Amino acid sequence: MKKKKLNLRDLNKTSSNNHKRNDGHNQSSPESVLKFKTYLPAIFSFVMLIAGIAFDYFESFPHFSGWIRIVWYVVAYLPVGFSVIKEGWNSIIKGDFFTEFLLMSIATIGAFAIGEYPEGVAVMLFYAVGELFQSAAVKRAKGSIKALLDVRPNEALVYRNNNYVSVNPETVNIGEKVQVRVGEKIPLDGVLLSKKGSFNTAALTGESKPDTIVKGEKVFAGSINLDGVIEIETTKEFKDSSIARILEMVQNATARKSKTELFIRKFARIYTPIVVFLAIGLTFLPYFFVDDYVFSDWLYRALIFLVISCPCALVISIPLGYFGGLGAASKNGILFKGASFLDEMTKVTTVVMDKTGTVTKGVFKIKNVVVNNGSLSEAEMMKYLMAMEEQSTHPIAKAIMEYKAVGEDFQATEVTEVAGKGLKGTVNGKTVLVGNKVLMTSNNIEVPTETDTIVESIVMVSIESKFAGYVIIADELKKDAHEAIKQIRESGISKIIMLSGDKDSITQQVAKEMGVNWAKGGLLPEDKLNEVEHLKKQFNTKVAFIGDGINDAPVLAASDVGIAMGGLGSDVAIETADVIIQTDQPSKIARAIKIGRSTRRIVWQNIGLAFGVKAVVLVLGAGGLATMWEAVFADVGVALLAILNAVRLQKMNWK
């Protein structure tokens, strides 16, 4: 059944848009007044209904009968009923005959036809109230998603013609210099030109802790500058910035329906016409089987049947549940590309992860310094090493240069690179070799046997043909890497596998340290793809693959659920992955699984509640044991309960 929006909801939406356009400065139309106007038709109908019921039951109003009574209840009905009847009529014109609007229109007009005026008004009133609740609940569920729209910057201060001018961010070119003041949003992706900066990235990553970066590092559009005036150089146009891509993805997420949503929509299209024909049969068929057949009695039962059978609770609560799940996930720094992936996360039985950039930081750090020459101190040996590595651009050289040692008096000269082995040069008149074991042995320098058992990258140092010591360089584990594995296991997934392009020995060591079931290193992207395909076919398992979204793109696309780490700065991750962990924290993987399970559990609770209550009241209504009031509860009451249940997702904590 195709669900369309009521005018009441349109008014609510228009009010919200007007408020945004006014940007909170139009005092003549504050949000509270707009909300009141939205609820005014329902309030008016409710007051008229209560007054009418009071007139009916108190003898003090003998004139409340005949046409006066009919007109009273018609006036009470129209504010909430007119929009529903109009939607039903428009649907019929478009060829969509069997909608909930038609069911409600037939049921309430039929109630008026047999003189049940208060019940006719009550059914439509509660239906309208349910629609208002639905609108408010959906707005709240989408709130954390829509909040992302507020992080879009409106202006950029660009340096042009020896002056900073304010322009639309969409007109800024790559390579231009932009100034950002304290409290303002970064308008485009770029690199920091200032010495350092502190940024609030909560709207992008869900993390409230400020992020401090230094000159030359990346900054992302939508981050808020917290400390001092800074300058950045843009690296992307606005339409290609990370925030623009993420916004586009989030806005499209609700269009990707889960299988449950698609099933309910198809079910409603078949279910609704069946209900209408059953109601017609319930009205006329008893004439042939019942001796004391009274048309109005059986019509009343049929109208009850129609009200009860309206699939509002299902059509409303299921999408609302998924909206809630998507919103809760984005608030936690997790972006699902659609409701279908919330469902898929609940079916995952095997987690496969990359190593570098996923559970490790992907940045080389000095793990240990060992001095093998008693005449040298650690600081002195490192000065020789740093003087040599200063001439290199290798990532390992960068890690070594971060060592805290002052070596201005150590100068390297005649530095040459020995291909695949290391560097050779002179430091303060002494011949220095820096590199691997092959470089040492080829120069007849004896290397300690203890280095044979070291699996990490190792840089050896020789001074004047004597082995001076070595430095162990390793990729550092992320702070929450161990916690991530623990939480994944606690979520019920026991099979955790690590696949990496790094050396197998290093991969095995990291896997052992983290408690991963099985690991394999030295893999090319196609090798990872083959391993995952083999897992899926041989063990018939649902696989979630977690990678950095760049060289892991093929396997991210092939897995049942592809999860990209650090997707905020990766175009490939946004394009390929199904789920993006914006904060680069592997512990969020377990949280994504929990959010998916909570969402699915609430959706199925609502399905069970709706079918259960409706089935009971349908039987009672067909047997003449239920009135229109019970029917109202079975329809609108259950819908409201389902809405309240779905809204619980916004209050849950999965930490």
Side-chain angles (χ1 to χ4, degrees), residues 354-515:
D354 180 36
K355 179 184 74 69
T356 307
T358 301
V359 296
T360 68
K361 294 181 178 179
V363 179
F364 287 113
K365 295 285 184 182
I366 294 177
K367 183 177 181 181
N368 198 12
V369 178
V370 178
V371 180
N372 205 62
N373 188 328
S375 62
L376 282 177
S377 66
E378 177 182 314
E380 193 173 5
M381 186 193 79
M382 289 302 298
K383 289 177 182 179
Y384 279 103
L385 175 58
M386 292 171 69
M388 292 288 291
E389 294 289 7
E390 192 176 15
Q391 311 294 318
S392 175
T393 58
H394 194 279
I396 288 180
K398 183 179 178 181
I400 290 172
M401 294 308 296
E402 291 181 0
Y403 184 85
K404 304 300 181 185
V406 180
E408 291 86 354
D409 53 334
F410 283 68
Q411 300 294 326
T413 57
E414 301 175 2
V415 178
T416 58
E417 182 175 351
V418 183
K421 298 178 183 179
L423 301 172
K424 182 178 181 179
T426 302
V427 177
N428 292 0
K430 296 181 180 180
T431 302
V432 178
L433 297 177
V434 171
N436 56 25
K437 185 177 180 179
V438 177
L439 178 65
M440 298 294 139
T441 54
S442 63
N443 284 274
N444 300 317
I445 297 170
E446 187 176 349
V447 177
T449 56
E450 66 189 61
T451 59
D452 296 336
T453 60
I454 299 172
V455 297
E456 295 98 338
S457 298
I458 182 170
V459 179
M460 300 180 180
V461 183
S462 164
I463 303 173
E464 291 292 279
S465 300
K466 291 183 179 180
F467 189 79
Y470 57 89
V471 177
I472 299 173
I473 305 291
D475 191 358
E476 189 179 0
L477 282 175
K478 291 180 180 177
K479 290 181 180 179
D480 63 335
H482 287 97
E483 184 65 20
I485 301 299
K486 177 186 174 184
Q487 290 183 9
I488 291 172
R489 291 196 189 284
E490 288 176 351
S491 70
I493 297 175
S494 57
K495 189 179 292 184
I496 305 174
I497 296 169
M498 182 177 290
L499 301 177
S500 177
D502 205 347
K503 290 194 303 184
D504 187 60
S505 58
I506 295 176
T507 303
Q508 296 296 340
Q509 185 187 46
V510 172
K512 183 179 179 181
E513 183 181 348
M514 294 183 61

Side-chain angles (χ1 to χ4, degrees), residues 160-171:
R160 292 175 180 172
N161 300 322
N162 298 320
N163 191 26
Y164 282 102
V165 292
S166 178
V167 300
N168 188 311
E170 296 182 9
T171 65

Side-chain angles (χ1 to χ4, degrees), residues 549-593:
I550 301 172
N551 59 344
D552 293 320
V555 67
L556 278 169
S559 57
D560 296 296
V561 181
I563 304 174
M565 301 298 298
L568 185 63
S570 171
D571 292 337
V572 177
I574 292 175
E575 293 293 337
T576 310
D578 306 314
V579 183
I580 297 173
I581 308 295
Q582 293 173 258
T583 58
D584 209 21
Q585 296 172 285
S587 58
K588 292 287 182 76
I589 298 165
R591 197 175 302 179
I593 295 171

Side-chain angles (χ1 to χ4, degrees), residues 50-96:
I50 295 300
I53 293 174
F55 294 155
D56 279 336
Y57 285 90
F58 290 101
E59 296 180 359
S60 305
F61 305 98
H63 299 295
F64 190 70
S65 60
W67 284 106
I68 294 176
R69 184 170 183 263
I70 294 173
V71 170
W72 184 276
Y73 282 115
V74 168
V75 172
Y77 176 86
L78 285 177
V80 290
F82 178 76
S83 58
V84 178
I85 295 172
K86 182 181 177 182
E87 286 290 348
W89 177 252
N90 289 338
S91 297
I92 291 172
I93 292 175
K94 294 176 182 177
D96 192 4

